[in-house]
Each structure stands twice: as structure tokens, then as C-alpha cells.
Amino acid sequence: MEVKFEGMPELLKQLQSMENGVGKAKEKALIAGAEVVQKAAQNEVRVRTGTLKENIEKSEVENDQIEVYVDNQGRAYYGHMLEFGTSKMQAIPFMGPSFMRNQLKIEQAMTNSIRESLGLLI
């Protein structure tokens, strides 16, 4: 009995392109989830001058991870003080609660992003 495979190089090429597409889909999904957290934190934070709100940022995707953080190297240096409090000030958290309250929205944004990337959205 002889088995002959035709189109194997084409199949391998297609599988390779699918693998690359999945990696890009994963990155887009992480960014979509981070954007939900970023917007939620910007809406949650107390605003006096707007500096802190403007400095809630998201990192680049690295090692399949992304961060939403306050850029505390500049004018928003006090972000962590609000989030965690100090010995003289009670905490007024905004990052943690934003994440906790929006977990379902984050998951939905990531799911929709993956579906869109893979052409599964109707």
C-alpha cells in the first residue's frame, strides 16, 4: 500500500501563516483589554488638574504581557500615593478598582478582538 500526500508544502505554508496570525491576534487582544482598563482608570481617578488622568498609560506587549500604569516619572509622581495611601493620607485607589469592576468588559474586549482577528465575528 502506497500513501502519497499532495499539497504538503502548501499546507505547511498555510499552517505557518495561521501561527503568525494567532500571535498577532493575541497581541491585539491584550491591547484591547488594556485599553478597557486604561479608560476605566481614567474615568475612576479623581481629577483636579487632569495630570494624573493624562498619565495613565499602557505599555507595549512584551513576553505576552501588557501593563496599565501611571507614568510616575514626571508630573504624575503621586499616583502610587493615591492608590496605596501614605502614613499621612488615606488611600484613594483607582487602578485596582477599575480592573476589578471591569473584568467582564476586559474579557469581552479580548474575546471580540480575537474573533475579529480570526474572522469569526459576524
Side-chain angles (χ1 to χ4, degrees):
M1 181 174 171
E2 184 178 316
V3 177
K4 188 175 182 182
F5 291 103
E6 292 183 17
M8 194 57 124
E10 291 83 7
L11 177 62
L12 292 173
K13 188 175 181 180
Q14 188 174 11
L15 287 172
Q16 180 65 35
S17 70
M18 286 176 65
E19 183 179 308
N20 292 338
V22 169
K24 289 178 185 175
K26 183 175 17 174
E27 185 171 318
K28 286 182 180 180
L30 288 168
I31 292 169
E35 287 173 351
V36 171
V37 176
Q38 181 183 28
K39 288 176 186 171
Q42 288 171 335
N43 290 332
E44 180 88 20
V45 71
R46 286 188 175 181
V47 177
R48 286 176 106 183
T49 64
T51 299
L52 185 56
K53 182 176 181 174
E54 293 169 4
N55 285 280
I56 297 173
E57 301 177 0
K58 63 184 182 305
S59 69
E60 298 290 322
V61 176
E62 221 173 278
N63 299 321
D64 293 338
Q65 294 183 359
I66 191 166
E67 294 179 4
V68 178
Y69 62 96
V70 175
D71 180 12
N72 60 5
Q73 297 299 311
R75 294 181 25 205
Y77 65 90
Y78 53 90
H80 69 283
M81 294 177 203
L82 281 176
E83 184 73 15
F84 302 108
T86 68
S87 62
K88 297 181 181 187
M89 182 184 91
Q90 184 176 0
I92 307 170
F94 57 96
M95 295 294 282
S98 297
F99 175 76
M100 296 303 289
R101 288 186 189 119
N102 290 283
Q103 286 184 355
L104 184 58
K105 286 181 183 178
I106 295 164
E107 290 174 13
Q108 288 173 338
M110 293 176 75
T111 300
N112 289 340
S113 176
I114 289 171
R115 286 181 176 157
E116 183 179 324
S117 294
L118 299 177
L120 301 174
L121 270 185
I122 297 173

